[in-house]
Amino acid sequence: MSSPLFAEVKKGLVVISAALGVAASQSGQQARPFVAFFKAGAHVIFKLFTWIKWSTPVGSASLIAASVASLDNLGPALRSMGVFSLLLAVGNLGLMQLVGMSTVFFLSYRQNPVKLFVKSARAWLVAFGAINSFYYSNSFQITVVVVVVVVVVVVVVVVVVVVVEVVVVE
C-alpha cells in the first residue's frame, strides 16, 4: 500500500531530478563533473541489474527445486502443471492468435480476418513441419543434451536442498 506522503515524495523526486537535469545541461563545462558522476552511477546500477538478471534463473531454479523437494506426491503437481501448460497453449492459440489477432486485423484494415489466416497458413505449416524435421537433426541432439544437463542440475539442487533440510532438522 502506498501512502499519500510517499506519492508526494515521488512527485518531488521527479520534479527535482528533472530540474537538476535541465540545470546541468544548461551549465555547460562547469557541470561536467556533476554529469560524469551521475553517468558513472547509472553505469554502476546497470551493472548491478545485469548481475541480478543473470542470477535470476539460478534463483528461480533453486526455488522450484525447493518446492519440488517439499512435495510428498509429485503426481498431482505434475498433472496440474500439465493442465496449466495445455490451457496456456490453447489460450495462446485460441484467444491470442485467432480472436486477438483477427480483431486487431479487422479494426486496423477493415478486411475479413480469414484472409489473414489463409495467407499465413503456409507459415504455420512450415513452423509445425520444422518441428518434425527437428527430431532428426543435430540441433535436436544438442537440445536433448542441454535438457539432460538442466534436469541433472535441478536434481542436484533438489538433493542438496533435501540434505540441507535433513542436516538443519537434526
Side-chain angles (χ1 to χ4, degrees):
M1 292 178 55
S2 180
S3 69
L5 177 63
F6 185 66
E8 292 299 318
V9 168
K10 286 194 300 187
K11 289 177 189 175
L13 284 174
V14 169
V15 170
I16 289 172
S17 299
L20 281 173
V22 170
S25 67
Q26 295 294 318
S27 296
Q29 289 286 13
Q30 294 173 338
R32 285 214 173 188
F34 181 77
V35 172
F37 171 76
F38 281 103
K39 281 186 178 181
H43 181 73
V44 169
I45 289 172
F46 286 141
K47 181 61 78 174
L48 180 65
F49 284 153
T50 302
W51 291 347
I52 292 170
K53 178 180 68 174
W54 283 104
S55 66
T56 299
V58 175
S60 298
S62 300
L63 289 172
I64 291 169
S67 296
V68 169
S70 67
L71 293 176
D72 293 330
N73 189 3
L74 284 177
L78 292 178
R79 189 176 307 112
S80 64
M81 191 166 34
V83 169
F84 172 73
S85 299
L86 177 68
L87 290 175
L88 189 65
V90 168
N92 183 28
L93 179 64
L95 294 177
M96 179 62 189
Q97 300 293 327
L98 298 177
V99 176
M101 281 181 58
S102 60
T103 303
V104 169
F105 182 78
F106 177 74
L107 293 175
S108 298
Y109 297 104
R110 300 287 185 204
Q111 294 180 2
N112 187 358
V114 174
K115 291 180 183 179
L116 171 70
F117 294 115
V118 169
K119 289 181 181 180
S120 64
R122 187 171 182 183
W124 284 61
L125 291 174
V126 168
F128 286 114
I131 292 173
N132 291 334
S133 64
F134 180 67
Y135 290 114
Y136 304 107
S137 66
N138 288 336
S139 299
F140 176 70
Q141 295 168 354
I142 293 170
T143 304
V144 168
V145 169
V146 170
V147 168
V148 168
V149 168
V150 168
V151 168
V152 167
V153 168
V154 168
V155 168
V156 167
V157 169
V158 167
V159 169
V160 168
V161 167
V162 169
V163 168
V164 167
E165 285 183 6
V166 168
V167 169
V168 170
V169 169
E170 292 177 358

